[in-house]
Amino acid sequence: EGRRQVLTDLTDLATVEVQVVPAPAVSPVVADAWAPLTVARQSLQDLVGALQVIADGAIRFGVFVVPLLLLAAVPAYFIWRFRNRFSRDIPSA
């Protein structure tokens, strides 16, 4: 009887919390509507970005590679001219 009284006292002090949450609405299979103008705008942005990369590459090529080619071509030209001049002067046997 004492145990029953203790359990009764404990249940008098207990609190039960109940939270009711509504179920989420059924979402459609396609969440966003098709937006062709948005796709076209993104495509144009991608095109401009690609053209900028190509232009950057051309600028880097013109500033870095062309001077290196000229620095290598000028001595190569004079060496070629020097070798051709002396190879013509020597008679072949």
Side-chain angles (χ1 to χ4, degrees):
E1 188 63 36
R3 185 165 173 83
R4 185 182 301 223
Q5 185 63 33
V6 169
L7 290 175
T8 304
D9 291 342
L10 287 176
T11 57
D12 288 343
L13 299 175
T15 28
V16 176
E17 185 177 329
V18 177
Q19 186 178 12
V20 179
V21 178
V26 177
S27 60
V29 175
V30 178
D32 296 331
W34 182 52
L37 291 177
T38 304
V39 173
R41 185 178 300 117
Q42 289 173 345
S43 298
L44 282 173
Q45 288 173 348
D46 293 342
L47 175 64
V48 168
L51 291 175
Q52 286 175 345
V53 168
I54 291 171
D56 287 346
I59 291 168
R60 289 177 193 270
F61 182 81
V63 170
F64 182 73
V65 175
V66 170
L68 287 178
L69 290 175
L70 289 175
L71 286 174
V74 170
Y77 172 76
F78 285 114
I79 291 171
W80 176 75
R81 290 277 302 191
F82 183 75
R83 293 181 100 193
N84 278 347
R85 175 178 284 181
F86 285 110
S87 67
R88 281 191 237 148
D89 292 344
I90 301 172
S92 57

